Amino acid sequence: MSVADSKVVSEDEGGTARIAAEFAGRLQPGDLILLVGEVGAGKSTFVRSALRELGVEGPIPSPTFTIGRAYRGRVPAFHLDLYRLELPAEEVPDLLGEYLDPSGITFVEWPDRPMGNLFDSPRRIGRVEIRHLDGDRREIRLSEPVSPD
Ligand SMILES: Nc1ncnc2c1ncn2[C@@H]1O[C@H](COP(=O)(O)OP(=O)(O)OP(=O)(O)O)[C@@H](O)[C@H]1O
Ligand SMILES: [Mg+2]
């Protein structure tokens, strides 16, 4: 782990919400945050609290079926869930372009889905990895956004 990485344990959903809010407080416009972890790990839960911290009001449903959702907080904010994305890689950047507005902050669940060169942009990229422990406990690894080399 580099100095910009940390590993914390969340005891319950509220714990994940607090960790997410703290993480979001350090984000800047243009940041792209990749969320990794199995189904039900708490990725959407994390993003919901991060979006609240960024000033988003109103419902924040999981975008599993819609692929993407756009919000307006203090900055434009976007939530993508690529789990169900089944497209030829070359069509993806066009379709998802509106969610990658570089003046905003974008959160992406299931970023390992084939996406062409969607992320070949000079944006700072951060990573959140959530792993089930026992019961409601989760291990959360946070990598603060860093600029590409
Ligand atoms: N410590 C915890 N952190 C986050 N969620 C928790 C925790 N403990 C229990 N939960 C519950 O686990 C579920 C996590 O669901 P969530 O939709 O956030 O997962 P996900 O990783 O986004 O899954 P998917 O891959 O299906 O999108 C919620 O029902 C939440 O209440
Ligand atoms: Mg989810």
Side-chain angles (χ1 to χ4, degrees), residues 7-28:
K7 191 168 82 174
V8 288
V9 172
S10 159
E11 296 295 334
D12 52 27
E13 190 173 344
T16 297
R18 283 190 294 278
I19 292 162
E22 212 175 282
F23 182 78
R26 297 190 293 270
L27 298 179
Q28 297 172 12

mmCIF file with all atom_site columns, all heavy atoms in Angstrom, residues 7-28:
data_model
loop_
_atom_site.group_PDB
_atom_site.id
_atom_site.type_symbol
_atom_site.label_atom_id
_atom_site.label_alt_id
_atom_site.label_comp_id
_atom_site.label_asym_id
_atom_site.label_entity_id
_atom_site.label_seq_id
_atom_site.pdbx_PDB_ins_code
_atom_site.Cartn_x
_atom_site.Cartn_y
_atom_site.Cartn_z
_atom_site.occupancy
_atom_site.B_iso_or_equiv
_atom_site.pdbx_formal_charge
_atom_site.auth_seq_id
_atom_site.auth_comp_id
_atom_site.auth_asym_id
_atom_site.auth_atom_id
_atom_site.pdbx_PDB_model_num
ATOM 1   N N   . LYS A 1 7  ? -6.660  1.184  5.050  1.00 0.00 ? 7  LYS A N   1
ATOM 2   C CA  . LYS A 1 7  ? -7.549  0.027  5.220  1.00 0.00 ? 7  LYS A CA  1
ATOM 3   C C   . LYS A 1 7  ? -8.299  0.236  6.523  1.00 0.00 ? 7  LYS A C   1
ATOM 4   O O   . LYS A 1 7  ? -7.682  0.458  7.558  1.00 0.00 ? 7  LYS A O   1
ATOM 5   C CB  . LYS A 1 7  ? -6.698  -1.239 5.272  1.00 0.00 ? 7  LYS A CB  1
ATOM 6   C CG  . LYS A 1 7  ? -7.500  -2.498 5.187  1.00 0.00 ? 7  LYS A CG  1
ATOM 7   C CD  . LYS A 1 7  ? -6.603  -3.684 4.955  1.00 0.00 ? 7  LYS A CD  1
ATOM 8   C CE  . LYS A 1 7  ? -6.007  -4.170 6.256  1.00 0.00 ? 7  LYS A CE  1
ATOM 9   N NZ  . LYS A 1 7  ? -5.225  -5.417 6.085  1.00 0.00 ? 7  LYS A NZ  1
ATOM 10  N N   . VAL A 1 8  ? -9.614  0.216  6.448  1.00 0.00 ? 8  VAL A N   1
ATOM 11  C CA  . VAL A 1 8  ? -10.413 0.423  7.656  1.00 0.00 ? 8  VAL A CA  1
ATOM 12  C C   . VAL A 1 8  ? -11.478 -0.665 7.746  1.00 0.00 ? 8  VAL A C   1
ATOM 13  O O   . VAL A 1 8  ? -11.815 -1.298 6.738  1.00 0.00 ? 8  VAL A O   1
ATOM 14  C CB  . VAL A 1 8  ? -11.114 1.811  7.647  1.00 0.00 ? 8  VAL A CB  1
ATOM 15  C CG1 . VAL A 1 8  ? -10.129 2.928  7.876  1.00 0.00 ? 8  VAL A CG1 1
ATOM 16  C CG2 . VAL A 1 8  ? -11.871 2.044  6.349  1.00 0.00 ? 8  VAL A CG2 1
ATOM 17  N N   . VAL A 1 9  ? -11.992 -0.878 8.958  1.00 0.00 ? 9  VAL A N   1
ATOM 18  C CA  . VAL A 1 9  ? -13.086 -1.829 9.123  1.00 0.00 ? 9  VAL A CA  1
ATOM 19  C C   . VAL A 1 9  ? -14.352 -1.052 9.443  1.00 0.00 ? 9  VAL A C   1
ATOM 20  O O   . VAL A 1 9  ? -14.367 -0.189 10.316 1.00 0.00 ? 9  VAL A O   1
ATOM 21  C CB  . VAL A 1 9  ? -12.776 -2.853 10.232 1.00 0.00 ? 9  VAL A CB  1
ATOM 22  C CG1 . VAL A 1 9  ? -14.004 -3.712 10.522 1.00 0.00 ? 9  VAL A CG1 1
ATOM 23  C CG2 . VAL A 1 9  ? -11.604 -3.743 9.817  1.00 0.00 ? 9  VAL A CG2 1
ATOM 24  N N   . SER A 1 10 ? -15.406 -1.349 8.666  1.00 0.00 ? 10 SER A N   1
ATOM 25  C CA  . SER A 1 10 ? -16.725 -0.774 8.923  1.00 0.00 ? 10 SER A CA  1
ATOM 26  C C   . SER A 1 10 ? -17.526 -1.810 9.710  1.00 0.00 ? 10 SER A C   1
ATOM 27  O O   . SER A 1 10 ? -17.595 -2.967 9.305  1.00 0.00 ? 10 SER A O   1
ATOM 28  C CB  . SER A 1 10 ? -17.403 -0.465 7.584  1.00 0.00 ? 10 SER A CB  1
ATOM 29  O OG  . SER A 1 10 ? -18.798 -0.384 7.754  1.00 0.00 ? 10 SER A OG  1
ATOM 30  N N   . GLU A 1 11 ? -18.131 -1.386 10.821 1.00 0.00 ? 11 GLU A N   1
ATOM 31  C CA  . GLU A 1 11 ? -18.871 -2.332 11.663 1.00 0.00 ? 11 GLU A CA  1
ATOM 32  C C   . GLU A 1 11 ? -20.290 -2.571 11.155 1.00 0.00 ? 11 GLU A C   1
ATOM 33  O O   . GLU A 1 11 ? -20.897 -3.595 11.428 1.00 0.00 ? 11 GLU A O   1
ATOM 34  C CB  . GLU A 1 11 ? -18.952 -1.812 13.101 1.00 0.00 ? 11 GLU A CB  1
ATOM 35  C CG  . GLU A 1 11 ? -17.599 -1.699 13.805 1.00 0.00 ? 11 GLU A CG  1
ATOM 36  C CD  . GLU A 1 11 ? -16.924 -3.068 14.012 1.00 0.00 ? 11 GLU A CD  1
ATOM 37  O OE1 . GLU A 1 11 ? -17.651 -4.076 14.084 1.00 0.00 ? 11 GLU A OE1 1
ATOM 38  O OE2 . GLU A 1 11 ? -15.685 -3.097 14.090 1.00 0.00 ? 11 GLU A OE2 1
ATOM 39  N N   . ASP A 1 12 ? -20.818 -1.576 10.430 1.00 0.00 ? 12 ASP A N   1
ATOM 40  C CA  . ASP A 1 12 ? -22.204 -1.682 9.958  1.00 0.00 ? 12 ASP A CA  1
ATOM 41  C C   . ASP A 1 12 ? -22.430 -0.647 8.854  1.00 0.00 ? 12 ASP A C   1
ATOM 42  O O   . ASP A 1 12 ? -21.516 0.094  8.492  1.00 0.00 ? 12 ASP A O   1
ATOM 43  C CB  . ASP A 1 12 ? -23.201 -1.485 11.103 1.00 0.00 ? 12 ASP A CB  1
ATOM 44  C CG  . ASP A 1 12 ? -22.923 -0.207 11.890 1.00 0.00 ? 12 ASP A CG  1
ATOM 45  O OD1 . ASP A 1 12 ? -22.363 0.735  11.307 1.00 0.00 ? 12 ASP A OD1 1
ATOM 46  O OD2 . ASP A 1 12 ? -23.258 -0.162 13.087 1.00 0.00 ? 12 ASP A OD2 1
ATOM 47  N N   . GLU A 1 13 ? -23.655 -0.582 8.360  1.00 0.00 ? 13 GLU A N   1
ATOM 48  C CA  . GLU A 1 13 ? -23.953 0.331  7.252  1.00 0.00 ? 13 GLU A CA  1
ATOM 49  C C   . GLU A 1 13 ? -23.609 1.780  7.604  1.00 0.00 ? 13 GLU A C   1
ATOM 50  O O   . GLU A 1 13 ? -23.074 2.530  6.782  1.00 0.00 ? 13 GLU A O   1
ATOM 51  C CB  . GLU A 1 13 ? -25.437 0.210  6.885  1.00 0.00 ? 13 GLU A CB  1
ATOM 52  C CG  . GLU A 1 13 ? -25.764 0.925  5.606  1.00 0.00 ? 13 GLU A CG  1
ATOM 53  C CD  . GLU A 1 13 ? -27.189 0.674  5.127  1.00 0.00 ? 13 GLU A CD  1
ATOM 54  O OE1 . GLU A 1 13 ? -27.837 -0.282 5.608  1.00 0.00 ? 13 GLU A OE1 1
ATOM 55  O OE2 . GLU A 1 13 ? -27.635 1.438  4.267  1.00 0.00 ? 13 GLU A OE2 1
ATOM 56  N N   . GLY A 1 14 ? -23.907 2.163  8.845  1.00 0.00 ? 14 GLY A N   1
ATOM 57  C CA  . GLY A 1 14 ? -23.605 3.527  9.285  1.00 0.00 ? 14 GLY A CA  1
ATOM 58  C C   . GLY A 1 14 ? -22.098 3.795  9.260  1.00 0.00 ? 14 GLY A C   1
ATOM 59  O O   . GLY A 1 14 ? -21.656 4.902  8.937  1.00 0.00 ? 14 GLY A O   1
ATOM 60  N N   . GLY A 1 15 ? -21.329 2.779  9.588  1.00 0.00 ? 15 GLY A N   1
ATOM 61  C CA  . GLY A 1 15 ? -19.876 2.917  9.564  1.00 0.00 ? 15 GLY A CA  1
ATOM 62  C C   . GLY A 1 15 ? -19.391 3.173  8.145  1.00 0.00 ? 15 GLY A C   1
ATOM 63  O O   . GLY A 1 15 ? -18.553 4.046  7.893  1.00 0.00 ? 15 GLY A O   1
ATOM 64  N N   . THR A 1 16 ? -19.934 2.432  7.204  1.00 0.00 ? 16 THR A N   1
ATOM 65  C CA  . THR A 1 16 ? -19.565 2.626  5.795  1.00 0.00 ? 16 THR A CA  1
ATOM 66  C C   . THR A 1 16 ? -19.966 4.026  5.339  1.00 0.00 ? 16 THR A C   1
ATOM 67  O O   . THR A 1 16 ? -19.224 4.696  4.613  1.00 0.00 ? 16 THR A O   1
ATOM 68  C CB  . THR A 1 16 ? -20.250 1.550  4.915  1.00 0.00 ? 16 THR A CB  1
ATOM 69  O OG1 . THR A 1 16 ? -19.759 0.273  5.325  1.00 0.00 ? 16 THR A OG1 1
ATOM 70  C CG2 . THR A 1 16 ? -19.960 1.756  3.438  1.00 0.00 ? 16 THR A CG2 1
ATOM 71  N N   . ALA A 1 17 ? -21.123 4.484  5.800  1.00 0.00 ? 17 ALA A N   1
ATOM 72  C CA  . ALA A 1 17 ? -21.590 5.830  5.430  1.00 0.00 ? 17 ALA A CA  1
ATOM 73  C C   . ALA A 1 17 ? -20.620 6.898  5.926  1.00 0.00 ? 17 ALA A C   1
ATOM 74  O O   . ALA A 1 17 ? -20.289 7.840  5.201  1.00 0.00 ? 17 ALA A O   1
ATOM 75  C CB  . ALA A 1 17 ? -22.992 6.066  6.000  1.00 0.00 ? 17 ALA A CB  1
ATOM 76  N N   . ARG A 1 18 ? -20.143 6.734  7.152  1.00 0.00 ? 18 ARG A N   1
ATOM 77  C CA  . ARG A 1 18 ? -19.195 7.731  7.702  1.00 0.00 ? 18 ARG A CA  1
ATOM 78  C C   . ARG A 1 18 ? -17.867 7.701  6.952  1.00 0.00 ? 18 ARG A C   1
ATOM 79  O O   . ARG A 1 18 ? -17.299 8.748  6.637  1.00 0.00 ? 18 ARG A O   1
ATOM 80  C CB  . ARG A 1 18 ? -18.958 7.457  9.201  1.00 0.00 ? 18 ARG A CB  1
ATOM 81  C CG  . ARG A 1 18 ? -20.102 7.930  10.076 1.00 0.00 ? 18 ARG A CG  1
ATOM 82  C CD  . ARG A 1 18 ? -19.729 7.868  11.548 1.00 0.00 ? 18 ARG A CD  1
ATOM 83  N NE  . ARG A 1 18 ? -19.524 6.494  12.027 1.00 0.00 ? 18 ARG A NE  1
ATOM 84  C CZ  . ARG A 1 18 ? -20.514 5.687  12.398 1.00 0.00 ? 18 ARG A CZ  1
ATOM 85  N NH1 . ARG A 1 18 ? -21.765 6.096  12.356 1.00 0.00 ? 18 ARG A NH1 1
ATOM 86  N NH2 . ARG A 1 18 ? -20.256 4.472  12.832 1.00 0.00 ? 18 ARG A NH2 1
ATOM 87  N N   . ILE A 1 19 ? -17.387 6.504  6.655  1.00 0.00 ? 19 ILE A N   1
ATOM 88  C CA  . ILE A 1 19 ? -16.118 6.368  5.936  1.00 0.00 ? 19 ILE A CA  1
ATOM 89  C C   . ILE A 1 19 ? -16.248 7.004  4.548  1.00 0.00 ? 19 ILE A C   1
ATOM 90  O O   . ILE A 1 19 ? -15.360 7.708  4.070  1.00 0.00 ? 19 ILE A O   1
ATOM 91  C CB  . ILE A 1 19 ? -15.734 4.868  5.836  1.00 0.00 ? 19 ILE A CB  1
ATOM 92  C CG1 . ILE A 1 19 ? -15.384 4.339  7.230  1.00 0.00 ? 19 ILE A CG1 1
ATOM 93  C CG2 . ILE A 1 19 ? -14.586 4.659  4.856  1.00 0.00 ? 19 ILE A CG2 1
ATOM 94  C CD1 . ILE A 1 19 ? -15.402 2.823  7.341  1.00 0.00 ? 19 ILE A CD1 1
ATOM 95  N N   . ALA A 1 20 ? -17.389 6.779  3.923  1.00 0.00 ? 20 ALA A N   1
ATOM 96  C CA  . ALA A 1 20 ? -17.622 7.321  2.573  1.00 0.00 ? 20 ALA A CA  1
ATOM 97  C C   . ALA A 1 20 ? -17.689 8.851  2.599  1.00 0.00 ? 20 ALA A C   1
ATOM 98  O O   . ALA A 1 20 ? -17.146 9.525  1.722  1.00 0.00 ? 20 ALA A O   1
ATOM 99  C CB  . ALA A 1 20 ? -18.919 6.736  2.006  1.00 0.00 ? 20 ALA A CB  1
ATOM 100 N N   . ALA A 1 21 ? -18.358 9.390  3.611  1.00 0.00 ? 21 ALA A N   1
ATOM 101 C CA  . ALA A 1 21 ? -18.500 10.849 3.688  1.00 0.00 ? 21 ALA A CA  1
ATOM 102 C C   . ALA A 1 21 ? -17.139 11.505 3.880  1.00 0.00 ? 21 ALA A C   1
ATOM 103 O O   . ALA A 1 21 ? -16.824 12.527 3.254  1.00 0.00 ? 21 ALA A O   1
ATOM 104 C CB  . ALA A 1 21 ? -19.441 11.222 4.837  1.00 0.00 ? 21 ALA A CB  1
ATOM 105 N N   . GLU A 1 22 ? -16.324 10.883 4.708  1.00 0.00 ? 22 GLU A N   1
ATOM 106 C CA  . GLU A 1 22 ? -14.979 11.426 4.952  1.00 0.00 ? 22 GLU A CA  1
ATOM 107 C C   . GLU A 1 22 ? -14.144 11.377 3.670  1.00 0.00 ? 22 GLU A C   1
ATOM 108 O O   . GLU A 1 22 ? -13.449 12.333 3.319  1.00 0.00 ? 22 GLU A O   1
ATOM 109 C CB  . GLU A 1 22 ? -14.325 10.576 6.027  1.00 0.00 ? 22 GLU A CB  1
ATOM 110 C CG  . GLU A 1 22 ? -13.370 11.321 6.919  1.00 0.00 ? 22 GLU A CG  1
ATOM 111 C CD  . GLU A 1 22 ? -12.887 10.395 8.004  1.00 0.00 ? 22 GLU A CD  1
ATOM 112 O OE1 . GLU A 1 22 ? -13.639 10.165 8.969  1.00 0.00 ? 22 GLU A OE1 1
ATOM 113 O OE2 . GLU A 1 22 ? -11.771 9.877  7.852  1.00 0.00 ? 22 GLU A OE2 1
ATOM 114 N N   . PHE A 1 23 ? -14.233 10.260 2.984  1.00 0.00 ? 23 PHE A N   1
ATOM 115 C CA  . PHE A 1 23 ? -13.496 10.086 1.720  1.00 0.00 ? 23 PHE A CA  1
ATOM 116 C C   . PHE A 1 23 ? -13.965 11.132 0.706  1.00 0.00 ? 23 PHE A C   1
ATOM 117 O O   . PHE A 1 23 ? -13.160 11.802 0.049  1.00 0.00 ? 23 PHE A O   1
ATOM 118 C CB  . PHE A 1 23 ? -13.754 8.667  1.196  1.00 0.00 ? 23 PHE A CB  1
ATOM 119 C CG  . PHE A 1 23 ? -13.036 8.308  -0.077 1.00 0.00 ? 23 PHE A CG  1
ATOM 120 C CD1 . PHE A 1 23 ? -11.681 7.971  -0.056 1.00 0.00 ? 23 PHE A CD1 1
ATOM 121 C CD2 . PHE A 1 23 ? -13.708 8.264  -1.292 1.00 0.00 ? 23 PHE A CD2 1
ATOM 122 C CE1 . PHE A 1 23 ? -11.008 7.609  -1.224 1.00 0.00 ? 23 PHE A CE1 1
ATOM 123 C CE2 . PHE A 1 23 ? -13.051 7.907  -2.465 1.00 0.00 ? 23 PHE A CE2 1
ATOM 124 C CZ  . PHE A 1 23 ? -11.701 7.575  -2.427 1.00 0.00 ? 23 PHE A CZ  1
ATOM 125 N N   . ALA A 1 24 ? -15.276 11.306 0.599  1.00 0.00 ? 24 ALA A N   1
ATOM 126 C CA  . ALA A 1 24 ? -15.839 12.243 -0.395 1.00 0.00 ? 24 ALA A CA  1
ATOM 127 C C   . ALA A 1 24 ? -15.420 13.678 -0.100 1.00 0.00 ? 24 ALA A C   1
ATOM 128 O O   . ALA A 1 24 ? -15.251 14.484 -1.022 1.00 0.00 ? 24 ALA A O   1
ATOM 129 C CB  . ALA A 1 24 ? -17.363 12.131 -0.412 1.00 0.00 ? 24 ALA A CB  1
ATOM 130 N N   . GLY A 1 25 ? -15.234 13.988 1.176  1.00 0.00 ? 25 GLY A N   1
ATOM 131 C CA  . GLY A 1 25 ? -14.832 15.337 1.553  1.00 0.00 ? 25 GLY A CA  1
ATOM 132 C C   . GLY A 1 25 ? -13.472 15.724 0.992  1.00 0.00 ? 25 GLY A C   1
ATOM 133 O O   . GLY A 1 25 ? -13.139 16.903 0.922  1.00 0.00 ? 25 GLY A O   1
ATOM 134 N N   . ARG A 1 26 ? -12.698 14.737 0.605  1.00 0.00 ? 26 ARG A N   1
ATOM 135 C CA  . ARG A 1 26 ? -11.352 15.008 0.063  1.00 0.00 ? 26 ARG A CA  1
ATOM 136 C C   . ARG A 1 26 ? -11.330 14.984 -1.464 1.00 0.00 ? 26 ARG A C   1
ATOM 137 O O   . ARG A 1 26 ? -10.278 15.156 -2.072 1.00 0.00 ? 26 ARG A O   1
ATOM 138 C CB  . ARG A 1 26 ? -10.355 13.962 0.595  1.00 0.00 ? 26 ARG A CB  1
ATOM 139 C CG  . ARG A 1 26 ? -10.182 13.992 2.106  1.00 0.00 ? 26 ARG A CG  1
ATOM 140 C CD  . ARG A 1 26 ? -9.024  13.116 2.545  1.00 0.00 ? 26 ARG A CD  1
ATOM 141 N NE  . ARG A 1 26 ? -9.254  11.688 2.328  1.00 0.00 ? 26 ARG A NE  1
ATOM 142 C CZ  . ARG A 1 26 ? -9.809  10.867 3.220  1.00 0.00 ? 26 ARG A CZ  1
ATOM 143 N NH1 . ARG A 1 26 ? -10.203 11.323 4.379  1.00 0.00 ? 26 ARG A NH1 1
ATOM 144 N NH2 . ARG A 1 26 ? -9.964  9.590  2.949  1.00 0.00 ? 26 ARG A NH2 1
ATOM 145 N N   . LEU A 1 27 ? -12.467 14.734 -2.100 1.00 0.00 ? 27 LEU A N   1
ATOM 146 C CA  . LEU A 1 27 ? -12.472 14.620 -3.573 1.00 0.00 ? 27 LEU A CA  1
ATOM 147 C C   . LEU A 1 27 ? -12.497 15.990 -4.240 1.00 0.00 ? 27 LEU A C   1
ATOM 148 O O   . LEU A 1 27 ? -12.943 16.976 -3.659 1.00 0.00 ? 27 LEU A O   1
ATOM 149 C CB  . LEU A 1 27 ? -13.681 13.794 -4.022 1.00 0.00 ? 27 LEU A CB  1
ATOM 150 C CG  . LEU A 1 27 ? -13.696 12.348 -3.519 1.00 0.00 ? 27 LEU A CG  1
ATOM 151 C CD1 . LEU A 1 27 ? -14.951 11.628 -4.010 1.00 0.00 ? 27 LEU A CD1 1
ATOM 152 C CD2 . LEU A 1 27 ? -12.434 11.600 -3.959 1.00 0.00 ? 27 LEU A CD2 1
ATOM 153 N N   . GLN A 1 28 ? -12.043 16.002 -5.479 1.00 0.00 ? 28 GLN A N   1
ATOM 154 C CA  . GLN A 1 28 ? -12.014 17.231 -6.275 1.00 0.00 ? 28 GLN A CA  1
ATOM 155 C C   . GLN A 1 28 ? -12.735 16.996 -7.591 1.00 0.00 ? 28 GLN A C   1
ATOM 156 O O   . GLN A 1 28 ? -12.790 15.868 -8.080 1.00 0.00 ? 28 GLN A O   1
ATOM 157 C CB  . GLN A 1 28 ? -10.570 17.608 -6.603 1.00 0.00 ? 28 GLN A CB  1
ATOM 158 C CG  . GLN A 1 28 ? -9.720  17.916 -5.392 1.00 0.00 ? 28 GLN A CG  1
ATOM 159 C CD  . GLN A 1 28 ? -8.248  18.082 -5.781 1.00 0.00 ? 28 GLN A CD  1
ATOM 160 O OE1 . GLN A 1 28 ? -7.902  18.176 -6.960 1.00 0.00 ? 28 GLN A OE1 1
ATOM 161 N NE2 . GLN A 1 28 ? -7.400  18.121 -4.773 1.00 0.00 ? 28 GLN A NE2 1
#
